[in-house]
Amino acid sequence: MAEAEAEAALREAEGRLAACLEETLGSRLCANRVFEILELLQAEDKEIIECAIRTCSRLFGALLTRGELFVGRLPPEEDFVQGNYSAEEKYKIWMRHRYNSCTACLGELMGHKVFQVKETALCTLMNFVELEAKYPLVKNEWSFNFPRELLQVVVDGLIQTDHNSFLLISRFHVYMEEDDVRYFVMKAVAENVGNVMTKAKQAPLRVYQSNAFHLLSSIVMPSEESKIKKFLVEHANQEEWKVSKLKEHRQAFERMWLGFLKYQLPRNLYKKVLLILHDSILPHLNEPALLMDFLTVAYDVGGDISLLALNGLFVLIVQYNLEYPEFYTKLYSHLDPSIFHVKCRARFFRLLDLFLSSSHLPAYLVAAFAKRLSRLALTAPPDGLLIVIPFICNLLRRHQSCQALIHRPHGPAEMPEDPYRMEEKDPLESRALESSLWEIKTLQNHYHPDVARAAAEINLPLSVMEQDLSEILELTAFEIFDKDIKKESADVPLEYRQARGLFRDKDDLFAEYFSLQ
């Protein structure tokens, strides 16, 4: 019964909307019927709302094409009636206000609970953007007639503050293939973030910042100026148009990201930003060193966030000559038992291997890293040990002066105590070169045979060729367990007499259980 009533209401609304559309476009005397169309944008039934959105698209699309909307600086609605305007101009001004009401309502509908309504509203707004690009309502030489105000409505609708809009942002990707759309989206995002975060007094807004990051990270920057050639708005002097310049795109990109990163981020967003920073953000900034403050703050947060910040800092140091004299000292201090348990473990060891690859590093520094890792290995899980032991062996191969840690031809056979200072945060003061890697020797008695076998390699002369770590960096405990249970092993007799009880007493409480087997 309810479905039949809903279908009847929908058919009635469709007929009403069709009549309103026909009469509004057919005669200016029926212009007031546009209010009926706008009213149905507020309906409760999603299908009626979608029908009203499509009607608005046809109505205002036709008015834009026919030039029946006011062009220029729009006077306030309460003033134009008394102004010195012709009947033609008054109609266009009035209808332009109705158009603005429609776009504002569509922007609100982008936050509707039903995705189909959101998508229809988005597509209609972007259709208006395309039409305004061809038939501009605001002629401004600086903005080159691009409908920036309407695009700002779209961006504000995409970055919701109270619910996830990832799916709608993914739907929006196709529109950013136009270079000028992408350029003005970046400017609109920067403005939106500044307004919203200022009102929030810079306190973290998890949902909003997550939506904003999803939109920011979806922007694909051109690598060369020659690739900037697809525009929604064609300009007379296309080559001189600022939107066709790669430098302008980079400035907008830089301002957008710096505006987003200057506010406090939720912890999960720190990780997401740092994962893409080195290859998706830094290469497209005019001044990458401006991210130094963000990276140093992230580096001091601790845990896996500090580990992820390493890559960005290293890129700034190597490629952009950034001075960070305490880089290795802080890196050394971040080596703690958590490195074997974080999700980014493989990434961290890959980066650590890169940071320690230079042959110009002093022996005391490399020895300190090798010793600290070997000490941490005493409490590491087997999957972590199968990474760190070959890693330490590679350090010894790469820096032969550190092989004194495993072989001292003129030193004492045994040390009364280990001179290494584990609690010392400065590798220079750790006295690692005076110590030895007895921890690796200890691991030769590890319960897991693969770990014991890997640790035993340190007894042999180390080969010149380093071991390839790429295959073991992604190793997990599940893979080790799966490999172990698939091993074929012969049955080993543990007792030559059949047991009659759990405690060798045939009359104990468990004897009955054994007799039933």
Side-chain angles (χ1 to χ4, degrees):
M1 188 70 178
E3 292 182 3
E5 291 178 357
E7 290 181 5
L10 177 59
R11 286 195 297 269
E12 181 184 351
E14 288 176 343
R16 181 182 170 191
L17 287 167
C20 290
L21 176 63
E22 183 179 357
E23 293 182 20
T24 305
L25 292 177
S27 173
R28 293 184 178 182
L29 296 175
C30 301
N32 279 335
R33 297 213 69 180
V34 71
F35 286 114
E36 298 181 49
I37 301 175
L38 297 178
E39 181 184 0
L40 289 176
L41 289 175
Q42 309 291 335
E44 294 184 3
D45 188 275
K46 70 179 184 66
E47 294 181 348
I48 294 178
I49 296 175
E50 289 183 68
C51 187
I53 294 174
R54 290 191 291 268
T55 303
C56 286
S57 178
R58 290 192 289 268
L59 171 62
F60 291 108
L63 294 175
L64 278 165
T65 306
R66 286 156 43 170
E68 295 188 13
L69 297 181
F70 182 78
V71 177
R73 185 174 182 179
L74 185 65
E77 192 166 7
E78 61 273 11
D79 295 343
F80 81 90
V81 178
Q82 305 297 331
N84 188 21
Y85 298 101
S86 65
E88 174 79 9
E89 289 175 326
K90 287 182 179 180
Y91 168 78
K92 291 183 177 181
I93 293 172
W94 183 86
M95 193 57 79
R96 171 84 177 276
H97 279 289
R98 306 289 76 75
Y99 172 67
N100 288 350
S101 299
C102 174
T103 56
C105 189
L106 291 175
E108 293 177 2
L109 286 174
M110 288 177 65
H112 197 273
K113 60 183 179 180
V114 179
F115 177 74
Q116 288 82 357
V117 174
K118 296 181 183 182
E119 184 180 26
T120 307
L122 170 63
C123 295
T124 300
L125 282 171
M126 290 309 297
N127 181 48
F128 288 159
V129 169
E130 187 174 356
L131 286 171
E132 280 197 42
K134 295 180 181 178
Y135 310 101
L137 298 177
V138 179
K139 292 191 175 181
N140 186 316
E141 184 179 355
W142 184 85
S143 61
F144 303 99
N145 302 328
F146 191 92
R148 292 187 62 184
E149 293 183 2
L150 185 55
L151 190 63
Q152 186 72 54
V153 173
V154 176
V155 170
D156 293 346
L158 287 172
I159 314 178
Q160 297 290 326
T161 58
D162 53 356
H163 64 270
N164 183 306
S165 57
F166 287 6
L167 195 57
L168 191 64
I169 293 172
S170 300
R171 177 66 178 83
F172 183 67
H173 289 176
V174 65
Y175 296 107
M176 285 195 290
E177 293 178 1
E178 306 280 353
D179 293 304
D180 50 354
V181 172
R182 182 179 59 249
Y183 174 78
F184 287 110
V185 163
M186 291 190 288
K187 285 185 166 292
V189 170
E191 183 175 341
N192 179 279
V193 170
N195 293 336
V196 174
M197 295 307 296
T198 300
K199 291 179 181 178
K201 298 181 180 180
Q202 302 187 7
L205 298 175
R206 291 184 177 276
V207 175
Y208 171 78
Q209 288 176 298
S210 183
N211 287 331
F213 171 77
H214 194 68
L215 180 57
L216 267 67
S217 60
S218 68
I219 294 175
V220 180
M221 283 287 288
S223 56
E224 301 174 3
E225 192 165 302
S226 60
K227 294 183 178 180
I228 305 176
K229 55 186 178 182
K230 190 176 181 182
F231 300 101
L232 187 66
V233 177
E234 296 296 334
H235 193 260
N237 298 320
Q238 201 72 33
E239 294 182 358
E240 299 179 3
W241 192 20
K242 64 185 301 182
V243 181
S244 64
K245 304 296 182 183
L246 180 60
K247 182 179 179 181
E248 296 290 338
H249 282 260
R250 287 190 169 185
Q251 285 181 349
F253 184 82
E254 182 177 87
R255 181 171 175 266
M256 175 185 69
W257 272 108
L258 292 177
F260 177 73
L261 296 177
K262 76 176 183 179
Y263 300 104
Q264 183 182 353
L265 299 177
R267 191 177 182 88
N268 67 318
L269 269 190
Y270 261 118
K271 298 178 184 179
K272 292 179 180 180
V273 171
L274 292 170
L275 281 171
I276 66 170
L277 186 74
H278 65 288
D279 57 359
S280 298
I281 301 177
L282 281 176
H284 303 296
L285 301 182
N286 283 328
E287 297 183 47
L290 292 174
L291 282 179
M292 177 63 185
D293 291 340
F294 169 76
L295 286 170
T296 51
V297 169
Y299 197 35
D300 293 334
V301 170
D304 49 356
I305 291 180
S306 297
L307 302 183
L308 290 171
L310 288 173
N311 204 0
L313 279 174
F314 191 75
V315 170
L316 290 180
I317 292 171
V318 174
Q319 298 183 13
Y320 301 100
N321 301 319
L322 181 71
E323 293 186 6
Y324 198 147
E326 296 184 356
F327 177 78
Y328 283 99
T329 302
K330 284 196 172 184
L331 175 60
Y332 177 79
S333 65
H334 283 307
L335 295 182
D336 56 41
S338 68
I339 64 174
F340 295 106
H341 305 281
V342 293
K343 291 182 179 180
C344 59
R345 182 180 67 184
R347 183 187 182 94
F348 169 70
F349 276 100
R350 192 176 290 112
L351 290 173
L352 187 61
D353 186 52
L354 175 64
F355 301 154
L356 299 175
S357 61
S358 174
S359 58
H360 299 290
L361 294 175
Y364 79 85
L365 182 67
V366 178
F369 276 91
K371 179 63 180 177
R372 191 174 185 89
L373 287 171
S374 64
R375 182 65 62 84
L376 294 174
L378 292 175
T379 56
D383 52 314
L385 290 173
L386 293 176
I387 295 174
V388 74
I389 293 175
F391 186 92
I392 294 172
C393 291
N394 278 353
L395 287 181
L396 300 179
R397 291 185 180 99
R398 195 178 298 158
H399 304 272
Q400 295 189 5
S401 57
C402 294
Q403 292 191 10
L405 293 172
I406 58 174
H407 178 62
R408 296 181 188 273
H410 304 294
E414 295 183 0
M415 292 183 178
E417 62 180 10
D418 191 344
Y420 174 67
R421 300 173 179 173
M422 181 68 177
E423 69 283 355
E424 179 59 55
K425 294 184 178 181
D426 187 353
L428 179 61
E429 304 295 333
S430 66
R431 299 179 62 186
L433 268 178
E434 302 175 27
S435 182
S436 67
L437 299 183
W438 58 265
E439 297 90 349
I440 306 299
K441 188 76 173 178
T442 302
L443 291 174
Q444 293 176 7
N445 298 315
H446 196 273
Y447 71 87
H448 198 284
D450 290 347
V451 174
R453 195 178 305 113
E457 290 188 11
I458 208 167
N459 296 337
L460 306 174
L462 293 175
S463 61
V464 178
M465 185 70 67
E466 293 185 16
Q467 183 175 344
D468 185 12
L469 301 179
S470 59
E471 295 183 358
I472 60 175
L473 286 178
E474 304 290 345
L475 190 65
T476 65
F478 297 103
E479 292 175 346
I480 294 177
F481 181 77
D482 189 55
K483 179 182 175 182
D484 286 343
I485 62 175
K486 290 180 179 179
K487 287 182 179 178
E488 295 184 1
S489 58
D491 294 334
V492 179
L494 300 179
E495 181 68 65
Y496 66 95
R497 291 180 181 175
Q498 184 177 1
R500 294 190 176 184
L502 187 60
F503 301 110
R504 294 184 179 275
D505 185 354
K506 63 180 181 180
D507 296 324
D508 67 14
L509 294 175
F510 301 97
E512 182 179 355
Y513 170 77
F514 282 97
S515 65
L516 296 175
Q517 302 302 312

